[in-house]
Amino acid sequence: MEKIAIIGLSCLFPDANNPEQFWQNLTAAKDSTSSVTVEEMGVEPAIFYDPVKGKPEKIYFLQGGFIRNFKFDASEYNLPVEFLESLDNTFKWSLYAAKQAIVQSGYWGNRNVLSKCGVILGALSLPTKLSNQLVAPIYRRTIDPAIAELLQDKDFHLSALPTTTKASPYNAMVCGFPAALVAQALSLSSTHFCIDAACSSSFYAIKMASHYLWTGKADLMLAGAISCSDPLFLRMFFSGIQGYPENGISCPLDKASRGLITSEGIGMVVLKRYNDAIRDGDKILATICGNGLSNDGKGKHFLSPNSKGQTLAFERAYKEAQLSPKAIDYMECHATGTLLGDTTEFNSIETFFGQHEASPLIGSAKANVGHLLVAAGMVSLAKTIVSMSGDVIPPTINVNEPLGSENNVISAEKIVRTPTPWPNAKTKYAALSAFGFGGTNSHLIIEQTKEG
């Protein structure tokens, strides 16, 4: 397969509205997570908070990564301003990230090129704040009579949720509409859809976008993923499956870490066939050499990672890239911060890289911004690209008791805990992993070569 060039990159992460701000935060070893606020949850968080894990209808963890101080300019897009302003952040963030990525690619305003550009986005199939606002009246009408009868109080009525804006019916279309809106607002091609491959969605979207380029069905592709679920719903869900750390410590790649921190945000890339990018003189940020996918849904419980499926994704990526694992300088791990997840990932790395006598440096940005769920891979990709361009691998923060041992292929010393120059200055190779619920596994290999 021909390599795929990344010629545009955008992001909207906690504390970072663009890749430059994200790079500054990484080099400053900044922790951009914080406690959820009333504005984000829509209600006072203390109403639902209980530090004891396992209580029904309660959340036991308040930390998260949030998009704050973001201003959306609806006048920048080819759709009515009033309509765009009535939409959920899912759609506003998608438009913002899409435009920024295209601007960086150099093709903003080039109608001929953009008319042959498709869009594939990873998107969570979960409620958002404004989709909840649409459904809440139906919910109240359905259960009000039942509760009134149970309480024997004919005057009982559930309180209406406070609303700040009139929600458009389009806000109910959280799964498929973001990609369609981007295509319509930016005059792109008719190739546009969203997928949900759990936490591997970013790299699945990139793989599908690559196929459109390889087959000639598109000449340019936007690919990425967005995490913008309702904060209260998300915290109820992850409290229910006990994914948060009951000890309050979430430190990916650290032995003390006992859970993840859910976060929100979006990242996108502009992709092009490598030879076309060279021909057209595009600035190539990095090149995708291989993208291995696998699914091990039958292996274990859908919440339990499976080392066999992860190593299969590794194998497929290096076979596609026709590259030895020994060439990898650095690996950005999925590293959620859960003991089972991080231990399983370490075992997968040990098994696969050990048999190839490879021992790359490793790290994770989840300690900086939390776990963006379907968009987690975009955090990894953005970090790796800006690190390659900056010639420095930024530290993985908050690691005090690192996983690994001196006897392992990937020892504790391989975790990058201080700013570290890239081992190879001219041609850099990096690997990125993303593993999701249900056994959706992915492993991406990228390359950056500097001229001269």
Side-chain angles (χ1 to χ4, degrees), residues 261-274:
I261 297 178
T262 50
S263 298
E264 57 190 22
I266 185 171
M268 286 195 200
V269 287
V270 178
L271 305 177
K272 193 172 184 179
R273 290 181 291 271
Y274 179 77

Side-chain angles (χ1 to χ4, degrees), residues 43-62:
V43 297
E44 172 58 53
I47 295 174
F48 294 98
Y49 177 70
D50 192 305
V52 179
K53 182 175 71 173
K55 288 191 176 181
E57 306 303 324
K58 292 291 184 179
I59 58 177
Y60 63 92
F61 190 73
L62 297 176

Side-chain angles (χ1 to χ4, degrees), residues 16-39:
N17 287 11
N18 52 60
E20 292 75 24
Q21 290 179 358
F22 186 44
W23 175 237
Q24 291 171 6
N25 294 342
L26 291 173
T27 55
K30 185 176 183 179
D31 182 345
S32 295
T33 63
S34 58
S35 294
V36 64
T37 65
V38 174
E39 182 180 2

